[in-house]
């Protein structure tokens, strides 16, 4: 197939919302260079893989996808394969790429994403291979283009990096130290989004509570709450150690703040929490949850939990199960502890055997699902505001939308409602899915 004049790109994004947001920037830059998005990775003239290194699985999936590209890269001398993101901040990955994947054209990292157009043009016009990684950065570049995935909901990065160094986690090494954007830049971006029809913003940061752009995170939320057109404000992620009363107060006062809170606990055992360097106890965590529920009784609380952290005993695990029963999470992301080279926990000799990890993992999910099922049932017959997002993935004849608590609702509705928030009556509530109909009092 002749590909002369082919100017198409395909971006594969692994990992978290920060990476999804970064991929929107990469897409925006490629569009400015005259490239068009395609779903056909093998035929695309540019493929960018934006990687994640948080768990081993993400690493494996990256090398899997990269391997699939080898043939099409060799067939097409004009094709450019670029790799970026968190994995590239690790020397071991760069070494592996150089020895096993020498056909990769461009390697860059998390700190120099703003340099992508220049690096890309050099690779394309001079047909040379480039690796450029920055060790760190003090600022977040402003004014980069972005091709947004949706018009009605958007991610807005407010801070980057992490200073917490949880003992299991690679993120502080791949994303560098914390740095915050100015409130002016954030508000300007959100006003622009609102003018373009955006209804919902999700403020992103590894630890949004330590936002330090000149005002507090709670003050920033109050400012965003005043922006015309923004009907929903979400944020992630919060670290329990600095979840302030001031932020909890926002749930009392801010009209547009969604009544849901993602508060990763990681473990319910004080001993494990201390080993993880989380800097809070289960008591303190439960107290923060109680304070949130006092300020906002129907708030949906979700979390992240790691099972099988080095040294975790059955008793520690029972503490986690007990905490899960006490908090009654709306939903929880559960992870098997994954050894990450370079982190303190990776050095520990008391790693938990795989079969014990898996057994605990299964018991944990059973507990979480049982609670989720009960909570799910409580949605029955309620009328809730739902942001309609588009055709349902499971049934294209239906539309799908999201509640404030991020639950998906399928309902019969007209396509013209996409991007609108409408009242929906829940007619069938199942553990993982809600079915609804437009409530009569619409309008
Ligand atoms: N900054 C966020 C989380 C970022 S990583 C926070 O602190 O909440 C997302 C989740 O991945 C973490 O909450 C944790 O549960 C999980 N995670 C991180 N490192 C991990 C590892 N080495 N093994 C298993 N899960 C891990
Ligand atoms: Fe990782 Fe902890 Fe930072 Fe979250 S707070 S990114 S888990 S080091
Ligand atoms: Fe992964 Fe980097 Fe996000 S390691 S979870 S993509 S910050």
């Amino acid at each position: 197939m002749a590909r002369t004049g082919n100017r198409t790109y395909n971006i594969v994004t692994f990992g978290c919302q920060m990476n999804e947001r970064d991929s929107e920037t990469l897409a925006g830059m490629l569009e400015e260079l005259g490239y068009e998005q395609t779903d056909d990775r093998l035929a695309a003239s540019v493929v960018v893989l934006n990687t994640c290194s948080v768990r081993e699985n993400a690493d494996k999936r990256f090398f899997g996808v990269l391997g699939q590209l080898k043939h099409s890269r060799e067939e097409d001398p004009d094709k450019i394969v670029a790799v970026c993101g968190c994995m590239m901040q690790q020397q071991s990955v760069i070494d592996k790429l150089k020895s096993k994947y020498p056909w990769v054209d461009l390697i860059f990292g998390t700190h120099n994403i703003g340099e992508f157009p220049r690096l890309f043009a050099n690779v394309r016009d001079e047909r040379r291979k480039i690796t450029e990684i920055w060790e760190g950065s003090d600022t977040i570049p402003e004014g980069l283009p972005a091709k947004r995935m949706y018009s009605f909901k958007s991610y807005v990065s407010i801070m980057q990096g992490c200073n917490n160094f949880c003992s299991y986690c690679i993120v502080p090494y791949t994303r560098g130290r914390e740095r915050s954007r100015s409130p002016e830049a954030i508000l300007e971006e959100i006003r622009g989004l609102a003018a373009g029809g955006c209804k919902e913003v999700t403020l992103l940061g590894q630890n949004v509570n330590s936002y330090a752009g000149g005002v507090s995170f709670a003050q920033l939320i109050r400012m965003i709450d005043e922006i015309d057109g923004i009907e929903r404000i979400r944020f992630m992620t919060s670290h329990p150690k600095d979840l302030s009363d001031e932020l909890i107060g926002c749930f009392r006062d801010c009209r547009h703040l969604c009544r849901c809170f993602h508060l990763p606990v990681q473990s319910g055992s004080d001993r494990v929490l201390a080993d993880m360097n989380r800097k809070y106890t289960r008591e303190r965590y439960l107290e923060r949850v109680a304070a949130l529920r006092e300020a906002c009784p129907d708030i949906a609380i979700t979390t992240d939990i790691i099972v099988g952290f080095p040294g975790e005993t059955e008793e520690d695990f029972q503490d986690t199960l007990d905490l899960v029963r006490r908090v009654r999470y709306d939903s929880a992301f559960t992870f098997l502890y994954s050894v990450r080279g370079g982190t303190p926990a990776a050095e520990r000799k008391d790693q938990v055997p795989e079969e014990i990890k898996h057994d605990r993992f299964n018991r944990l999910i059973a507990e979480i699902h049982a609670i989720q099922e009960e909570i799910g049932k409580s949605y029955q017959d309620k009328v809730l505001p739902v942001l309609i997002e588009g055709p349902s993935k499971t049934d294209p004849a239906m539309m799908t939308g999201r509640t404030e608590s991020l639950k998906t609702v399928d309902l019969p509705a007209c396509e013209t409602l996409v991007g609108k928030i409408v009242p929906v009556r829940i007619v069938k509530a199942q553990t993982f899915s809600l079915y609804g109909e437009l409530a009569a009092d619409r309008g």
Side-chain angles (χ1 to χ4, degrees):
M1 186 174 58
R3 263 196 275 270
T4 327
N6 177 4
R7 286 197 159 217
T8 53
Y9 72 89
N10 180 275
I11 302 179
V12 189
T13 310
F14 302 88
C16 66
Q17 290 87 354
M18 329 276 157
N19 264 17
E20 285 180 34
R21 178 64 193 79
D22 283 348
S23 288
E24 291 184 339
T25 298
L26 295 167
M29 289 167 164
L30 283 163
E31 302 246 333
E32 281 193 353
L33 290 166
Y35 289 77
E36 256 178 66
Q37 204 272 336
T38 172
D39 291 333
D40 187 346
R41 207 179 292 160
L42 298 183
S45 51
V46 184
V47 181
V48 186
L49 306 187
N50 191 4
T51 63
C52 167
S53 35
V54 78
R55 283 171 293 274
E56 200 185 354
N57 264 349
D59 286 20
K60 282 194 185 143
R61 280 173 39 231
F62 161 64
F63 283 113
V65 174
L66 189 60
Q68 288 162 9
L69 291 171
K70 183 174 187 219
H71 183 68
S72 63
R73 171 66 188 83
E74 282 171 352
E75 290 277 286
D76 179 357
D78 293 330
K79 189 179 180 107
I80 294 175
V81 175
V83 295
C84 63
C86 288
M87 285 178 76
M88 303 309 136
Q89 297 297 137
Q90 295 168 278
Q91 190 54 46
S92 57
V93 172
I94 304 295
D95 295 343
K96 182 166 172 182
L97 286 170
K98 299 260 166 187
S99 65
K100 298 216 170 105
Y101 303 83
W103 46 270
V104 168
D105 299 286
L106 170 60
I107 304 174
F108 59 105
T110 58
H111 298 289
N112 58 345
I113 188 169
E115 304 298 308
F116 174 66
R118 174 181 61 80
L119 297 169
F120 175 78
N122 285 346
V123 169
R124 184 189 57 189
D125 301 340
E126 297 166 28
R127 273 323 312 186
R128 60 191 181 100
K129 307 228 179 272
I130 297 181
T131 299
E132 190 178 298
I133 310 287
W134 294 358
E135 289 294 311
S137 52
D138 301 330
T139 53
I140 301 177
E142 292 292 347
L144 301 180
K147 183 180 184 238
R148 303 281 182 169
M149 227 162 350
Y150 300 94
S151 59
F152 50 86
K153 61 171 188 176
S154 291
Y155 289 135
V156 176
S157 163
I158 63 161
M159 53 99 61
Q160 289 182 10
C162 180
N163 295 350
N164 290 320
F165 291 94
C166 300
S167 62
Y168 50 82
C169 184
I170 196 81
V171 172
Y173 309 89
T174 64
R175 289 272 170 176
R177 296 295 65 72
E178 286 174 1
R179 53 225 182 263
S180 299
R181 293 175 69 197
S182 73
E184 293 76 26
I186 296 167
L187 295 172
E188 189 187 307
E189 178 177 343
I190 298 178
R191 281 193 206 102
L193 289 168
C198 176
K199 299 279 168 56
E200 176 182 297
V201 288
T202 303
L203 311 177
L204 296 182
Q206 287 302 345
N207 178 10
V208 287
N209 296 328
S210 35
Y211 173 76
V215 301
S216 69
F217 180 54
Q219 285 167 325
L220 181 69
I221 288 185
R222 285 174 193 270
M223 292 169 172
I224 298 170
D225 198 38
E226 300 298 320
I227 296 180
D228 276 347
I230 297 299
E231 295 180 42
R232 282 182 166 183
I233 305 169
R234 305 183 183 282
F235 54 83
M236 68 187 324
T237 300
S238 281
H239 194 300
K241 81 174 159 59
D242 29 39
L243 165 51
S244 66
D245 290 335
E246 193 197 4
L247 178 58
I248 293 177
C250 290
F251 284 90
R252 276 203 194 95
D253 308 332
C254 297
R255 284 181 304 146
H256 303 114
L257 191 54
C258 285
R259 285 166 295 174
C260 75
F261 206 108
H262 186 63
L263 193 61
V265 67
Q266 314 300 357
S267 168
S269 151
D270 279 342
R271 205 178 55 82
V272 174
L273 286 172
D275 283 1
M276 287 177 161
N277 193 29
R278 290 291 288 179
K279 304 189 185 85
Y280 54 86
T281 60
R282 63 182 269 129
E283 221 41 57
R284 171 70 179 163
Y285 183 90
L286 289 168
E287 183 278 321
R288 291 287 79 188
V289 167
L292 272 171
R293 290 213 162 116
E294 198 194 321
C296 183
D298 53 355
I299 196 164
I301 298 180
T302 60
T303 202
D304 293 347
I305 299 175
I306 298 176
V307 280
F309 181 81
E312 183 190 72
T313 62
E314 176 63 24
E315 201 185 337
D316 294 320
F317 177 66
Q318 287 297 333
D319 285 345
T320 299
L321 286 180
D322 179 71
L323 181 130
V324 162
R325 286 182 207 116
R326 281 171 199 253
V327 177
R328 297 182 59 77
Y329 291 107
D330 249 58
S331 69
F333 296 101
T334 45
F335 306 107
L336 291 165
Y337 167 71
S338 172
V339 176
R340 303 284 71 201
T343 63
E347 303 299 317
R348 287 182 57 159
K349 300 278 170 280
D350 49 355
Q351 300 290 333
V352 175
E354 283 303 311
E355 61 281 9
I356 295 185
K357 274 196 216 172
H358 282 273
D359 173 60
R360 288 182 190 158
F361 186 82
N362 293 337
R363 279 147 67 205
L364 177 64
I365 337 192
E367 192 70 49
I368 291 166
H369 286 178
I371 296 165
Q372 240 179 318
E373 196 176 337
E374 285 173 30
I375 296 179
K377 279 188 195 141
S378 71
Y379 279 81
Q380 183 76 36
D381 299 327
K382 279 194 179 151
V383 176
L384 304 166
V386 169
L387 172 57
I388 308 292
E389 300 196 335
S392 162
K393 286 203 180 74
T394 45
D395 179 357
M398 304 271 266
M399 296 302 266
T400 195
R402 296 242 186 198
T403 65
E404 267 184 70
S405 59
L406 269 179
K407 288 214 163 20
T408 323
V409 187
D410 279 3
L411 69 159
C414 175
E415 198 132 359
T416 54
L417 290 181
V418 170
K420 297 207 164 61
I421 297 174
V422 292
V424 170
R425 184 181 314 283
I426 304 303
V427 292
K428 194 162 102 191
Q430 290 177 341
T431 314
F432 301 111
S433 45
L434 299 173
Y435 298 88
E437 59 189 22
L438 291 171
D441 56 346
R442 186 157 64 87

